[in-house]
Amino acid sequence: MDNNTNHSIRQDTFITKGQIEIKRQAFAVDYNAGVNHLFTQLDTQLGVVLESSFEYPGKYTRYNIGFVNPMLQLVANYNKFSLKALNQRGQIILGFITAAIQQIDCVKTIATSDELFEGSIIYSTETFTEEVRSKQPSIFMVIRAITDVFYTTDDANLGLYGAFGYDLAFQFEHIKLKRERPSNQRDLVLYFPDQLIIVDHRKEVATQYEYDFSHNGQTTVNLPRDGKSEAFIPNTTEGKSSEYKPGGYAAIVKEAIEYFKRGDLFEVVPGQTFYNGCKINPSVIFDRLRKRNQSPYSFFMNLGQQEYLIGSSPEMYIRVTKNKVESSPISGTIKRGSNAIEDAANILQLLNSVKDESELTMCTDVDRNDKSRICKPGSINVISNRKLEVYSRLIHTVDHVVGELREGYDSLDAFLSHTWAVTVTGAPKAWAMQFIEDHEISNRNWYGGAVGYIGFNKDMNTGLTIRTVRIKDGISSVRVGATLLYDSIPEEEEKETILKASALIDALNNGTDDKAKTTNTQNYYNANWAHKKVLLVDHQDSFVNTLANYFRQFGVEVITLRSGFKQEILAKLNPDLVVLSPGPGRPCDFAVSQTIAMCVKLAIPVFGVCLGLQGLVEYCGGSLDLLEYPLHGKKVILTNYHGKIFDGIKSKEIKVGLYHSLYAKKDDFPEQLNVCAESSQGIIMAIEHKTLPMWAVQFHPESILSLTDNVGLTIINNVLKYILR
């Protein structure tokens, strides 16, 4: 892992609660390189990278933490656990820890050696009150013993890093297990590293910390920081498979609705898993995912035994800083649009959804209940409600809940009190977990658990294990769920799970980033039109340059000329198309009819926008009237649309933007013109000439209000297609 400049910038020595002397050296490393060099090492070496690439004031700050070749590994499987030294340094540390673990009343020693301590937890038959539920015998007794030995407030980074599996909850919640668990299933894997790279993106600095430990004449000083290496073994299985046939997940939703009717459940979050062979190294998948789907809890872990976790979780599970405990429930989801305008429309739909509001309300009420077990009375507050967080393909509504720990409770109590988050289980929590156990096809393994670290200063930062790829023996699995309520539409919930899985599946299967776009990047260029010329007549409008830009995207040459030019100039330019721009005032202010007459005489096709439509109507003998309420910067829905300029638009509704006070009257509308579209208020929105190559629209195809489904560019493409073919 060495990435330092061999120049120590700081050296410190401090003593832990267990009288362990720790020497820490800090080295400056290349900020731009950060932890990136660890990615490929994690393909073959044990270790962890945690990355937060999502900035949110008062909540998330961008950072990176990573290491390979840790000293020690803690693994748990139901009531059995093992502490394994991974190198000589780990053997020293294991010796420091063994005595403390053997003093735990509920721990039974199974086997000990210089490299391994195996034990089991003797569960209690005693009845525990809810207030001390997190104190009952469990694997967390072992974790607490380790953190007590190494407790220090002099270092904020040293601690245990890794993953917490879903089945850990069953050490506290007595659920009737219906599915058999494999004997080699691991419910917890935590590493004790002695070398960390920390990247602070605010300060734009990266630091490598190296630790040595000494106690009673035993020391790690001068021992090698090494570990075993095992190459990733890919699997060439073709195609992807789901646990359910189409409609299978929807069937579970329908069954859950019956539970809601009876009052057995308020909400529940069943999941489904998608499987595929993994042909590429896990580091490649992680690099794709971190670039495409930035999140506050991205992670890449080599857990050994050909098992890897790769994720980009958007949700904080539990974070504890001193006595402050935080969580951030996410519930309420809608897909991203193809541009900012569609995003805005989807956000309005999400915020106005009673169902989505109910989801988050229930999640936050349960979360507050979880905190009430371990927090000071009156200290629990919702400091933000239904805030929007926007990711590559999804938009979420999110709450932020904080509390202050009561005397006698620490970060592990906070962690256990929330096991597992209502956003991946449901409410009431125990009944929801039983529904999940009864109805899901496969075991959750790591899904719905947590990833992160427990600091030896008793702080903690963990994210929920969602949006995660698990790779085991070359087979990838992506598990996703949806929050179900009585209001749920089964087919829509099934679609939501597929959408949530899509970014992860794409990262597995290809290198192409087809995530939802926030700008129009579609290539409309047509090489056959590269020598075609468009004359844009400017009627002193504020949107002429944008309109010209739209036409230029198709490869045509655009010449913009203020109105009032003579016919000789038009003849000399000899354009393939004349575009009549929008503008203020009336068509007669710019002699639009005369411009159209010149085009007719020279047999030049015409396309008019707004004022251009009004001018074409007047040229053909129609008349205009004034709207009672001017529509400037307003959006309307087109109805009864048809004709060549709407080719390829399949939406049931077309939303477009308007800037006009005048409109074409229907009572004396010219016979030589056809109406191609109207607004929902009955105003003429598009026309075409019956015999001449002339089209016009009352709306602005170049406005951001017309971006939905790329309506504006599609119409311009159609005009050019029928003229330039």
Side-chain angles (χ1 to χ4, degrees):
M1 183 170 119
D2 289 341
N3 189 35
N4 62 54
T5 60
N6 295 319
H7 174 64
S8 177
I9 58 175
R10 190 166 63 254
Q11 298 186 42
D12 303 285
T13 301
F14 43 90
I15 306 296
T16 74
K17 182 179 178 181
Q19 299 303 303
I20 311 295
E21 181 187 81
I22 300 180
K23 291 184 178 180
R24 177 184 63 195
Q25 292 192 79
F27 301 88
V29 298
D30 182 5
Y31 168 72
N32 293 318
V35 297
N36 294 2
H37 70 289
L38 299 182
F39 300 167
T40 54
Q41 293 184 52
L42 286 175
D43 285 330
T44 60
Q45 295 167 277
L46 303 181
V48 170
V49 165
L50 303 176
E51 182 174 277
S52 178
S53 53
F54 189 87
E55 192 83 24
Y56 194 101
K59 186 174 174 182
Y60 296 127
T61 300
R62 294 192 307 129
Y63 73 91
N64 299 65
I65 300 176
F67 62 87
V68 294
N69 292 329
M71 301 182 296
L72 200 70
Q73 181 188 59
L74 171 62
V75 174
N77 176 5
Y78 193 55
N79 71 321
K80 292 184 172 58
F81 69 92
S82 67
L83 274 161
K84 182 180 180 181
L86 301 174
N87 53 26
Q88 288 181 272
R89 301 172 66 82
Q91 292 179 30
I92 300 294
I93 298 299
L94 183 60
F96 297 164
I97 294 173
T98 297
I101 294 176
Q102 289 177 325
Q103 292 176 15
I104 303 173
D105 291 339
C106 64
V107 169
K108 177 183 178 182
T109 301
I110 296 175
T112 61
S113 70
D114 291 342
E115 299 179 353
L116 185 68
F117 181 100
E118 290 183 305
S120 63
I121 305 297
I122 303 171
Y123 293 137
S124 175
T125 58
E126 181 183 347
T127 299
F128 289 84
T129 66
E130 283 300 295
E131 287 75 14
V132 295
R133 187 167 71 96
S134 58
K135 307 293 188 183
Q136 64 185 292
S138 73
I139 183 61
F140 288 88
M141 291 286 198
V142 175
I143 295 173
R144 185 170 271 118
I146 296 171
T147 56
D148 281 347
V149 169
F150 289 93
Y151 173 73
T152 175
T153 59
D154 293 314
D155 188 280
N157 302 311
L158 198 61
L160 301 175
Y161 291 74
F164 304 83
Y166 179 80
D167 279 8
L168 285 174
F170 304 142
Q171 299 195 20
F172 306 93
E173 291 287 0
H174 300 295
I175 304 298
K176 295 178 182 177
L177 301 183
K178 298 295 183 68
R179 293 183 305 277
E180 184 178 350
R181 269 61 177 178
S183 59
N184 62 349
Q185 174 177 299
R186 297 184 292 174
D187 299 330
L188 176 146
V189 175
L190 295 178
Y191 292 126
F192 186 162
D194 61 349
Q195 193 174 23
L196 291 165
I197 294 178
I198 313 289
V199 181
D200 185 330
H201 289 287
R202 282 191 173 180
K203 297 179 180 179
E204 295 191 348
V205 296
T207 308
Q208 180 166 308
Y209 294 96
E210 295 183 353
Y211 300 87
D212 274 301
F213 308 85
S214 301
H215 180 63
N216 286 343
Q218 299 291 310
T219 183
T220 62
V221 174
N222 296 325
L223 293 178
R225 304 176 190 272
D226 57 5
K228 294 181 180 179
S229 180
E230 181 182 6
F232 169 66
I233 302 173
N235 189 298
T236 58
T237 302
E238 294 290 340
K240 61 182 179 181
S241 62
S242 170
E243 290 182 315
Y244 299 102
K245 295 179 180 178
Y249 187 85
I252 293 179
V253 181
K254 292 176 183 176
E255 190 161 352
I257 289 172
E258 296 303 313
Y259 281 68
F260 301 139
K261 282 182 181 179
R262 295 192 299 268
D264 294 344
L265 294 173
F266 306 144
E267 65 179 346
V268 70
V269 192
Q272 68 164 316
T273 304
F274 300 87
Y275 299 96
N276 202 350
C278 187
K279 305 176 185 178
I280 56 178
N281 283 341
S283 60
V284 176
I285 298 167
F286 176 66
D287 196 41
R288 288 176 183 172
L289 195 59
R290 61 187 284 271
K291 291 175 180 176
R292 299 178 189 186
N293 196 41
Q294 295 183 343
S295 68
Y297 291 95
S298 293
F299 52 92
F300 178 21
M301 301 182 181
N302 183 336
L303 301 180
Q305 300 180 18
Q306 289 293 310
E307 186 173 20
Y308 302 80
L309 284 183
I310 302 164
S312 56
S313 175
E315 184 168 348
M316 179 194 302
Y317 174 57
I318 290 297
R319 184 169 67 194
V320 178
T321 308
K322 295 184 178 177
N323 287 325
K324 179 183 178 182
V325 56
E326 302 173 78
S327 56
S328 191
I330 291 178
S331 202
T333 300
I334 199 165
K335 68 178 181 179
R336 293 288 304 274
S338 61
N339 52 57
I341 306 305
E342 291 184 16
D343 274 352
N346 289 353
I347 286 170
L348 285 175
Q349 181 181 338
L350 176 60
L351 291 178
N352 288 320
S353 168
V354 175
K355 185 256 185 186
D356 287 296
E357 183 178 13
S358 299
E359 281 186 21
L360 188 54
T361 296
M362 284 194 276
C363 287
T364 298
D365 276 344
V366 174
D367 184 275
R368 291 167 63 239
N369 179 72
D370 291 339
K371 285 183 176 58
S372 294
R373 182 186 286 113
I374 43 88
C375 286
K376 291 181 179 179
S379 70
I380 301 166
N381 290 295
V382 180
I383 60 174
S384 67
N385 175 235
R386 298 201 83 197
K387 292 288 187 181
L388 295 168
E389 291 186 4
V390 181
Y391 295 95
S392 64
R393 302 188 184 209
L394 300 170
I395 302 169
H396 296 298
T397 46
V398 186
D399 283 358
H400 189 185
V401 188
V402 301
E404 186 178 349
L405 289 171
R406 281 197 284 160
E407 190 71 28
Y409 293 91
D410 60 15
S411 58
L412 290 177
D413 294 304
F415 184 96
L416 294 172
S417 185
H418 290 75
T419 309
W420 285 115
V422 59
T423 52
V424 291
T425 54
K429 192 180 287 187
W431 284 51
M433 294 174 77
Q434 189 64 62
F435 179 93
I436 288 168
E437 180 69 19
D438 292 345
H439 291 84
E440 287 188 341
I441 293 176
S442 61
N443 299 324
R444 288 195 162 192
N445 295 301
W446 303 107
Y447 173 78
V451 292
Y453 71 89
I454 301 168
F456 290 153
N457 64 350
K458 296 300 179 76
D459 287 353
M460 172 187 289
N461 195 353
T462 56
L464 204 56
T465 310
I466 56 177
R467 315 290 159 79
T468 297
V469 180
R470 177 197 183 215
I471 302 172
K472 175 61 176 169
D473 297 325
I475 299 294
S476 68
S477 58
V478 174
R479 198 180 193 99
V480 288
T483 302
L484 311 184
L485 277 71
Y486 178 72
D487 313 277
S488 290
I489 300 172
E491 293 74 20
E492 293 302 314
E493 300 291 1
E494 183 168 308
K495 288 179 183 177
E496 181 178 315
T497 63
I498 295 170
L499 176 63
K500 286 178 177 177
S502 61
L504 298 161
I505 292 172
D506 285 346
L508 281 162
N509 292 337
N510 61 75
T512 303
D513 184 5
D514 62 347
K515 67 183 180 183
K517 300 176 177 62
T518 55
T519 57
N520 173 56
T521 58
Q522 184 172 343
N523 183 11
Y524 289 93
Y525 180 80
N526 188 329
N528 295 324
W529 297 347
H531 301 293
K532 301 296 183 179
K533 186 186 300 181
V534 171
L535 173 63
L536 177 54
V537 181
D538 180 6
H539 299 128
Q540 299 179 20
D541 188 61
S542 296
F543 312 114
V544 171
N545 293 326
T546 305
L547 191 57
N549 176 286
Y550 269 42
F551 276 93
R552 290 189 181 107
Q553 290 184 49
F554 295 90
V556 298
E557 178 187 1
V558 178
I559 299 171
T560 305
L561 197 61
R562 290 280 179 96
S563 63
F565 51 82
K566 296 181 179 180
Q567 183 172 315
E568 303 89 81
I569 294 176
L570 181 59
K572 184 177 180 180
L573 289 173
N574 190 29
D576 297 284
L577 171 68
V578 167
V579 176
L580 305 175
S581 86
R586 303 181 71 93
C588 60
D589 295 328
F590 301 96
V592 175
S593 289
Q594 289 91 319
T595 302
I596 295 173
M598 289 190 293
C599 291
V600 172
K601 188 173 182 179
L602 296 172
I604 301 172
V606 172
F607 175 61
V609 176
C610 197
L611 188 78
L613 178 143
Q614 298 157 16
L616 183 56
V617 168
E618 285 193 332
Y619 170 79
C620 293
S623 58
L624 309 174
D625 206 347
L626 197 64
L627 294 169
E628 291 184 6
Y629 182 83
L631 296 172
H632 301 152
K634 301 295 192 296
K635 183 184 288 187
V636 300
I637 296 174
L638 300 189
T639 60
N640 301 320
Y641 66 88
H642 61 279
K644 294 179 179 179
I645 63 172
F646 293 105
D647 278 2
I649 299 176
K650 299 178 181 179
S651 303
K652 293 181 180 179
E653 293 182 346
I654 297 179
K655 298 176 182 179
V656 294
L658 303 179
Y659 289 88
H660 74 114
S661 299
L662 297 173
Y663 68 96
K665 295 173 65 177
K666 289 183 177 180
D667 52 8
D668 61 350
F669 190 73
E671 291 186 3
Q672 60 266 49
L673 298 177
N674 285 328
V675 175
C676 299
E678 296 181 4
S679 71
S680 53
Q681 292 80 27
I683 303 298
I684 294 172
M685 285 288 116
I687 61 176
E688 65 179 2
H689 200 284
K690 292 180 179 179
T691 59
L692 297 174
M694 292 184 179
W695 299 267
V697 293
Q698 181 61 66
F699 55 89
H700 282 240
E702 81 289 350
S703 170
I704 61 172
L705 298 174
S706 303
L707 282 175
T708 303
D709 295 328
N710 286 326
V711 167
L713 285 164
T714 301
I715 287 173
I716 290 172
N717 177 69
N718 288 336
V719 171
L720 293 172
K721 180 174 67 175
Y722 285 108
I723 289 171
L724 304 180
R725 59 184 176 183

